[in-house]
Amino acid sequence: MKTVAVCFVCLGNICRSPTAEGVLRAQIEAAGLQNRIIVDSAGTGDWHAGQAPDERAQAAARQRGYDLSLLRARQVVHEDFERFDLLLAMDEANLGQLRQLCPAHHRAKVRLLMEFAQQPALREVPDPFFGGNEGFEQVLDQCESACLGLLAHLSTALTDRVV
Ligand code: 4NP
């Protein structure tokens, strides 16, 4: 059976990309597509490798019913460009870093998550790390919106055999 694989990418892999991973996992379960869509996340940096998501990201996500506690940060590796059909960056800096690392023949896999938002007014998911709690709420709002659009895209891809 065909599967598709998506990896969310931010800087530290402790705030935005694990939030997106938790949100999409919940949406995938609600849609009954657990066996068809593979989800992961990674950071362009390695400072937080091995750590659970930021406590503030976990708390904000928990309030909306997403459990991020078992996720652990890791850095992007070269095999990710082979393993995943899509590598979705949270902001332009993450996108630029990914493009530098990405082999030319996989370039089309590297995109911005917010391309999939219903109302893509914002191109980036802003980094909440140095701000207040409202930043984490905004990350959740943006991830919930974009992941719904992404899930629709992936569902079509599973049917049409195109990602
Ligand atoms: P993230 O947020 O990229 O959404 O995980 C950050 C986490 C850590 C740092 C910056 C952003 N940091 O500078 O350590």
Side-chain angles (χ1 to χ4, degrees), residues 58-134:
Q58 287 198 52
R62 200 177 303 121
Q63 289 276 336
R64 299 196 195 189
Y66 309 112
D67 179 9
L68 308 185
S69 65
L70 298 179
L71 302 179
R72 295 294 178 267
R74 69 171 182 89
Q75 191 172 26
V76 173
V77 292
H78 279 287
E79 296 80 61
D80 289 331
F81 297 103
E82 308 292 334
R83 269 182 66 207
F84 294 98
D85 299 295
L86 286 172
L87 294 101
L88 298 177
M90 296 291 148
D91 64 28
E92 299 279 5
N94 311 145
L95 184 70
Q97 289 270 329
L98 280 177
R99 282 185 171 154
Q100 281 190 0
L101 294 169
C102 182
H105 61 286
H106 287 318
R107 232 185 123 82
K109 295 181 173 183
V110 177
R111 297 166 66 173
L112 281 170
L113 170 63
M114 289 306 288
E115 281 183 43
F116 295 94
Q118 268 79 3
Q119 293 165 323
L122 291 173
R123 271 179 65 76
E124 301 187 294
V125 182
D127 185 349
F129 189 70
F130 295 106
N133 288 337
E134 67 285 353

Side-chain angles (χ1 to χ4, degrees), residues 10-17 47-48 127-130:
C10 61
L11 178 61
N13 193 209
I14 54 168
C15 298
R16 292 166 292 174
S17 59
W47 311 283
H48 299 282
D127 185 349
F129 189 70
F130 295 106

